[in-house]
Structures are given as C-alpha cells and as structure tokens.
Amino acid sequence: MASDDIARLADALSKTHVGDGELSYKGLGLKLDDAESVEELVREIEHYTGLRALRLEGNTVGVDAARAIAKALQSKDLLQRCYWSDMFTGRLRSEIPTALRSLGGALMSAGARLTELDLSDNAFGPDGVKGIEQLLKSPSCHNLQELRLNNCGMGIGGGKILAEALIEGHRQSSEHGAPLKLRVFVAGRNRLENEGARALARAFQLIGSLEEVHMPQNGINHAGVMALASAMRHNPELRVLNFNDNTFTKRGTLAMAQALRHLRNVQVINFGDCLVRSEGAIALAAVLREGLPILKELNLSFGEITEAAALVVAQAVMDKSDMEKVDLNGNSLGEEGCEALREAMENMDKGGMLASLSDDEGEPDDEDEEDDDDASDASDNCDEDNGEIVKENGTTREGDSPAKPQSPAEITSFLSCPSAERLLQLGEMRTSLQQQVDASDPHNAADVLLKIAALYSEEPETKTAVLETIDAVLKKLLCGSAFQSYCFLSSLLVKMGLLKGEGRVKKASLVPGQLLCLEHAIQQEYFTGHHASLLHTFMSKNGGALESCSSASERLSSTLEKCLNQH
C-alpha cells in the first residue's frame, strides 16, 4: 500500500467515532482492498473492549479486507448491531457473497447475538442472500429484531432463500425455547414480485412479532399482496405498513383492508402509488370507521381515487384523534374535487393534516381503459383471504365459499326470471330470499337487491311485498361490520353507474322503482348515517348516471339530505 494511501487512511481513521460500545467508520469513503489496507481498522476492532455495534457503511470492502476484519471479529461475542449498508460499491458481484460469508462466519464463531443487521444498498442479488443464509439460520440471529435489506436486488430467488432462512431460524430458535421475534423488516426495491412476496409471507405469518414492514417498489401485484395481507393479520403488534409503489388494485386492497380490521396498533399506512382506486379506498374508509384507533398517517396518494371516494375517506378520519397526516395527492379529483376535499377537511377542523394536492391528475376520462388485472373476476369475496374463508368473528376455515342453504325451486325460478307475480306467489317463502344474499359476495348481493327492487310498483300488495323483501335483504347486508356493508354499497354503486369499478362489470338498467326502494330503505334503522352519507356523496358527485330516472332520483336525493340533517 502506497505511503500516501496509508496517510489518507490514518487521517480517515482519526475521525472514527468511538463510544457507547460503538465503533463507527460510517461514510469515510475508504477503499479497503486487502489485509494491509485494514491493518489500523483491524487493530482498533481488536483493542475495543465491549464492542456492541460496528458501522462500516459508506466504504467499499474487498474479499481480502473482509477476511481480515472477520478475523478481528471472531473474539467479539458482545457484538449486537452491524450497520453494513453500502459497503461494496465498485466490487464485482461475485466477490460480495464470499466477503459476506467471511464476516458472517466470524460472528457465528464469536457466538455473537445480533439484534440489528443492516445490509441495505448492497447490490448483491440472490447470491448475496446465499452469503448471509447460514448466518440468518444460526444462533447469532436468533435474537434478531431488525433486518434491513433495502435495495439489494434480491429478486424472486433471493426472496425465497431469505424466507427459508428466516423460517429455519425461527424453527431452531423455537426449539431452544426462545423463538425469533423479528420486529422490523425492510426490503424495498428488491424486485421480489409475487413469488418472493408469497415466500416471505409464509415467514411473516410464522414469526408473528413484526412491528414494521417496509416493502416498497417490489413489483408485487394483487396475488402477492393478498398473501402478505394474510400474513399481516398474524402480527398483532404491527405499527407501520409500507407497501408504496406496488400494484394492489381492488382485490389486493380488499385483502389488506380485511387484514387491517384485526390490527389495533397500526400507526402508519403507506399504500401510496399502489392503484388502490375508489372501491379500495371505500373499503379502507370502512376499516377507519370501525378500527385503527391510533392511526397517525394514511398515504393513499397516486391511486386513481376519484373525488367522491376521497371524500368518503376524509369523512372516515373525522373521529381519529391521533391522525396527523392524510395524503391523497396525485389522485383523480379534478380542480373542483381538490377544493371540495380541502373544504371538507377544514369543516372537520382537520385541514392541517391534509397533504398537498399539487400533483392531482385531474378528473378521470370516462373513456379510459380499465386495468385488466381483475377483469376475469368481477365478483369479489370480501372475506376471502389467501385461500381461507374469514368469518366475521375472525376465525377461518378452508373452502372456496361459505355454504348457502339449499334454494327451494320456487326461489331459484324467481331469481332466474323475477316478476311481481312470482314474488307474490312465494308468499312466506319470500323470507328465504335474504338467505340467497351473502355479505361476503357483495357483487351478487347487489344484483339480487336490484332485481327485487325493479319489481316495485304503487299497487299496494306488490309494493308491500317488495319493500318487506328489500328490508329483510338490506338488514342482513348492512347490520354486520362496516367493512362488509361498505363493500356491498360499493358494489351497488358500481352496478348503478355511480362508481367506476374494475373489470367488466355489467351495469344495471335502472328503473325508478329501484331508487324509490332505496328512498324507503334510507329511512329505516338499519341504514345508518354513515351509509346514507356514502350514498349521498356519490349521488351528489355523479348524479348524471341517474338521468333516466330523474324524478325518482330527486326524491331519493331530497330524502337523503333530510336524513343526513337529522343525523
């Protein structure tokens, strides 16, 4: 090593931070190629008694230098925190796994018990994960609380290796009576995609102790999101969820919303740039209504959310005393929608928590093509969660869908070809119609409701039969959780043309009787103020969809306003 290089290294090392059990070479920009280049650094490590944290980030370490450092670490059994991000700049990708194995092997030989490991910003790919695989399985990581692997280029293969290492580490630590209790997991910008996400979801579900999960920008779509959502609900201490810049769409958002219903400690939700869209936003608003008691930050930016859905979200945060920030920037509100949202937040005395709306995309074009992600499955199950059916009490059972009672032939015949005459002929069997709707299948439930409501007439006997049946059906659909009732109303709005849905959903050909049935329903006890507010918001913003039934629409709007004033 040249004398001027040695002099520069000595000068850099003179700036080393030493104290509180930490030895830091952070950000010194050292180029450590061989054993000679790290002689002074190694000496400091060897002479440091009680070393608990080692910071090497912001330098570049070669294979031989790593071996020399590893030798010094073999006696450091008290080491707990390794901050080793951005440590291989300019190194061949093939060198990094060897360097990592040397360092990890030293920690295992020393009997160190790590609580934090940060290897972020090291572009080591799947082979790099192999370099830390044995370390993660070993007793040296059985006490690991924070694992940071941001921007490492792991890919699907690396995600799978990492997941198996965590599962094996949990198994071994459990055998010793102290299961791995990982609290913080960071793995953004790693191209994990669906397969990597699914593999990690299995590990997360097993571990069950996560408090923070950061997995932004990983190319995960609804299939991977659903697997992660299922795992999240098994981690009751979750405080921070960051899945920014993945592709949820409706199905992924519904799964995440379902998981959030079971999590009481969440403080930060970042679903920005995730294509949450309006139906997903409504589902999340329902969860805000009934749960998430200490939520502080909600990011639903750049999600193609329209004005009415954004207003529903705003209304849902009204009673959140801990809420500090709501980010709805970059959505599809339009200029008037942005102003309406600001006004709504100001009226609730929460204007200060609304993030800037400077990047709003403007009102959506009705001719815009929908994403085909969910086009093949317009029917959504609001309780389906990664292959399990989730009951209202939170328990699960395997299956494709909840079993429905056997339909009498008369009921089946009526639903296949509804008519007022057939409805009257059902007599007392009309009560069986409510058994044909399931809150976990809101698309079908909305279809059944509109079929029945279309039979409305002012003829007394028919009117009574239709309204009694409507009451029975809606009471079942709206008296459960806010989540299920909002999912149903969302599907109903799509069928009525008041909300643009995902996929190829056939809109109903509306007749006045359907709106008059709704006018009747909103005056009943089962139709809460929240439900009325949701319906009113979409009618006031998209009323043009009901022009074919203008008189009935006006009656419904007028009654809605009266009901809301009473509440």
Side-chain angles (χ1 to χ4, degrees):
M1 191 175 188
S3 59
D4 56 341
D5 290 335
I6 295 174
R8 281 198 298 271
L9 177 58
D11 178 63
L13 291 178
S14 69
K15 302 172 184 176
T16 300
H17 170 73
V18 179
D20 301 325
E22 179 179 287
L23 191 55
S24 175
Y25 304 93
K26 179 179 179 180
L28 297 181
L30 302 175
K31 191 172 187 295
L32 308 173
D33 295 325
D34 50 31
E36 183 183 2
S37 69
V38 293
E39 282 181 356
E40 184 63 29
L41 185 152
V42 164
R43 191 176 299 115
E44 290 193 4
I45 292 175
E46 289 175 339
H47 292 167
Y48 196 110
T49 303
L51 181 64
R52 296 182 183 276
L54 178 61
R55 307 197 79 109
L56 294 175
E57 64 263 57
N59 301 289
T60 176
V61 181
V63 172
D64 291 337
R67 286 176 177 145
I69 294 171
K71 188 173 181 181
L73 291 176
Q74 287 178 353
S75 62
K76 301 302 173 182
D77 61 323
L78 298 179
L79 188 60
Q80 295 179 330
R81 302 186 302 280
C82 295
Y83 304 108
W84 296 349
S85 63
D86 189 19
M87 202 171 73
F88 298 109
T89 300
R91 302 294 170 181
L92 294 175
R93 187 161 163 175
S94 58
E95 294 180 77
I96 300 174
T98 304
L100 289 172
R101 286 190 185 96
S102 295
L103 293 167
L107 297 174
M108 291 186 281
S109 296
R113 293 292 185 270
L114 298 186
T115 57
E116 296 181 42
L117 177 60
D118 187 353
L119 288 166
S120 298
D121 301 315
N122 290 310
F124 48 52
D127 290 340
V129 185
K130 292 178 183 177
I132 59 171
E133 182 180 7
Q134 293 308 313
L135 173 63
L136 291 173
K137 293 177 180 179
S138 75
S140 288
C141 283
H142 287 180
N143 294 334
L144 194 63
Q145 296 178 13
E146 300 187 16
L147 178 60
R148 302 176 189 273
L149 296 167
N150 201 59
N151 191 30
C152 289
M154 288 190 287
I156 295 171
K160 289 181 175 180
I161 296 168
L162 174 61
E164 289 304 316
L166 291 173
I167 289 170
E168 179 61 20
H170 184 273
R171 186 190 68 79
Q172 290 187 23
S173 58
S174 297
E175 288 179 354
H176 288 90
L180 171 65
K181 292 186 177 180
L182 191 65
R183 295 191 298 106
V184 177
F185 179 85
V186 181
R189 300 183 65 189
N190 271 292
R191 306 192 312 275
L192 294 169
E193 301 182 17
N194 287 340
E195 290 185 55
R198 283 192 182 112
L200 286 166
R202 289 191 288 273
F204 296 160
Q205 182 163 327
L206 185 66
I207 292 169
S209 56
L210 289 167
E211 296 178 17
E212 296 185 25
V213 177
H214 302 263
M215 295 177 66
Q217 203 171 343
N218 269 296
I220 306 169
N221 68 26
H222 76 272
V225 172
M226 291 170 75
L228 288 167
S230 181
M232 293 304 100
R233 61 185 294 170
H234 292 275
N235 289 265
E237 299 305 316
L238 267 172
R239 294 183 295 105
V240 179
L241 271 178
N242 177 8
F243 291 106
N244 189 283
D245 198 8
N246 290 290
T247 308
F248 281 29
T249 60
K250 177 182 174 182
R251 293 170 69 184
T253 309
L254 289 181
M256 276 294 176
Q258 177 71 300
L260 288 168
R261 294 177 60 207
H262 303 275
L263 301 172
R264 307 290 294 177
N265 296 304
V266 176
Q267 297 179 24
V268 178
I269 295 173
N270 186 345
F271 294 163
D273 206 9
C274 285
L275 278 186
V276 164
R277 293 181 171 150
S278 295
E279 290 179 273
I282 292 171
L284 291 170
V287 179
L288 285 166
R289 289 281 192 191
E290 65 182 351
L292 301 173
I294 59 173
L295 187 67
K296 293 182 178 180
E297 295 184 22
L298 176 65
N299 184 347
L300 298 179
S301 60
F302 298 93
E304 296 187 1
I305 298 169
T306 58
E307 175 190 353
L311 289 170
V312 171
V313 172
Q315 292 158 6
V317 304
M318 180 170 55
D319 297 324
K320 297 297 175 188
S321 58
D322 293 320
M323 187 68 82
E324 298 172 0
K325 183 178 180 181
V326 177
D327 191 346
L328 289 163
N329 193 26
N331 282 296
S332 304
L333 310 185
E335 188 175 340
E336 291 184 4
C338 288
E339 188 55 39
L341 180 59
R342 292 189 192 98
E343 183 179 342
M345 295 294 285
E346 290 288 351
N347 289 341
M348 295 185 292
D349 198 26
K350 294 185 181 294
M353 74 172 59
L354 182 64
S356 168
L357 299 173
S358 59
D359 296 314
D360 187 73
E361 296 287 340
E363 293 184 54
D365 185 345
D366 287 340
E367 300 302 317
D368 283 349
E369 289 295 322
E370 280 291 351
D371 189 292
D372 282 338
D373 180 72
D374 294 332
S376 62
D377 186 9
S379 180
D380 301 283
N381 188 317
C382 278
D383 278 339
E384 191 174 350
D385 197 359
N386 196 30
E388 294 179 330
I389 298 302
V390 184
K391 299 177 184 175
E392 198 55 31
N393 62 8
T395 61
T396 63
R397 63 177 177 81
E398 296 294 325
D400 294 324
S401 62
K404 289 182 180 179
Q406 187 72 27
S407 301
E410 294 87 348
I411 296 291
T412 303
S413 176
F414 168 76
L415 290 174
S416 64
C417 188
S419 68
E421 182 181 2
R422 287 185 173 184
L423 181 67
L424 292 172
Q425 288 174 350
L426 288 175
E428 294 183 359
M429 274 199 297
R430 286 197 297 270
T431 58
S432 299
L433 281 169
Q434 65 178 298
Q435 297 173 3
Q436 303 308 306
V437 296
D438 191 329
S440 67
D441 186 358
H443 176 82
N444 180 66
D447 191 49
V448 170
L449 182 83
L450 288 173
K451 283 182 177 180
I452 298 169
L455 305 178
Y456 178 90
S457 79
E458 292 298 333
E459 193 279 318
E461 189 177 9
T462 300
K463 180 178 180 179
T464 299
V466 169
L467 293 181
E468 284 181 352
T469 308
I470 290 291
D471 285 339
V473 170
L474 282 177
K475 188 172 183 180
K476 178 179 181 180
L477 293 170
L478 298 180
C479 289
S481 69
F483 174 75
Q484 287 190 329
S485 64
Y486 271 46
C487 282
F488 162 71
L489 290 172
S490 177
S491 293
L492 183 63
L493 291 169
V494 171
K495 297 283 286 184
M496 293 174 66
L498 293 169
L499 168 61
K500 189 174 184 179
E502 284 187 3
R504 302 183 184 93
V505 180
K506 185 178 179 181
K507 296 176 185 175
S509 297
L510 293 179
V511 296
Q514 291 163 322
L515 303 187
L516 296 177
C517 284
L518 279 177
E519 184 205 9
H520 163 82
I522 62 177
Q523 300 175 71
Q524 310 309 310
E525 287 187 7
Y526 58 73
F527 214 100
T528 68
H530 293 163
H531 298 144
S533 177
L534 174 61
L535 181 57
H536 180 264
T537 298
F538 276 88
M539 283 193 64
S540 63
K541 301 301 176 183
N542 304 294
L546 306 179
E547 285 179 350
S548 62
C549 308
S550 57
S551 178
S553 175
E554 289 173 7
R555 277 183 57 177
L556 175 56
S557 294
S558 176
T559 306
L560 269 171
E561 290 175 6
K562 290 178 183 177
C563 290
L564 289 173
N565 289 333
Q566 291 173 0
H567 287 288

